[in-house]
Amino acid sequence: DRVNLQYGFVVDLLKTRLRQKYPNLSDTPDLGYVVSGCIGHMTHNCMLWAEREFSDPIEMVVDHAFYPWMGLDRWLQGLNDKAS
């Protein structure tokens, strides 16, 4: 299924990028769950935006989709620092 292949590609790409950025992380946290959760959040926001017939400005949608990634960065950086 094309969608699953594309989804898997994005998950693998982001997991690789996170491992590069936070090289001291071990197997915890499971980056598959982490990435899937962030993608799920973005997908849900996009679906809500579409349901609202794109009435909100794209800048607002992007701003509201960005905060989990900022929190994720702080969390993973803290774990990476502790592991070094």
Side-chain angles (χ1 to χ4, degrees):
D1 177 49
R2 194 179 115 199
V3 171
N4 286 332
L5 286 174
Q6 290 175 334
Y7 182 79
F9 172 77
V10 171
V11 169
D12 289 343
L13 182 70
L14 290 173
K15 283 169 46 178
T16 299
R17 178 63 186 111
L18 291 176
R19 285 191 184 102
Q20 290 171 344
K21 185 171 182 180
Y22 312 104
N24 299 322
L25 291 181
S26 60
D27 293 334
T28 304
D30 184 308
L31 295 179
Y33 282 115
V34 170
V35 169
S36 293
C38 288
I39 291 173
H41 174 265
M42 290 172 41
T43 302
H44 180 76
N45 277 2
C46 291
M47 290 171 53
L48 181 60
W49 187 44
E51 184 179 276
R52 293 179 177 178
E53 299 180 354
F54 309 102
S55 61
D56 298 316
I58 185 64
E59 294 82 8
M60 185 179 99
V61 177
V62 170
D63 285 347
H64 283 77
F66 191 59
Y67 76 87
W69 294 96
M70 292 173 22
L72 175 63
D73 179 56
R74 281 190 220 106
W75 179 51
L76 292 178
Q77 190 61 56
L79 292 174
N80 189 66
D81 291 347
K82 286 181 189 176
S84 63

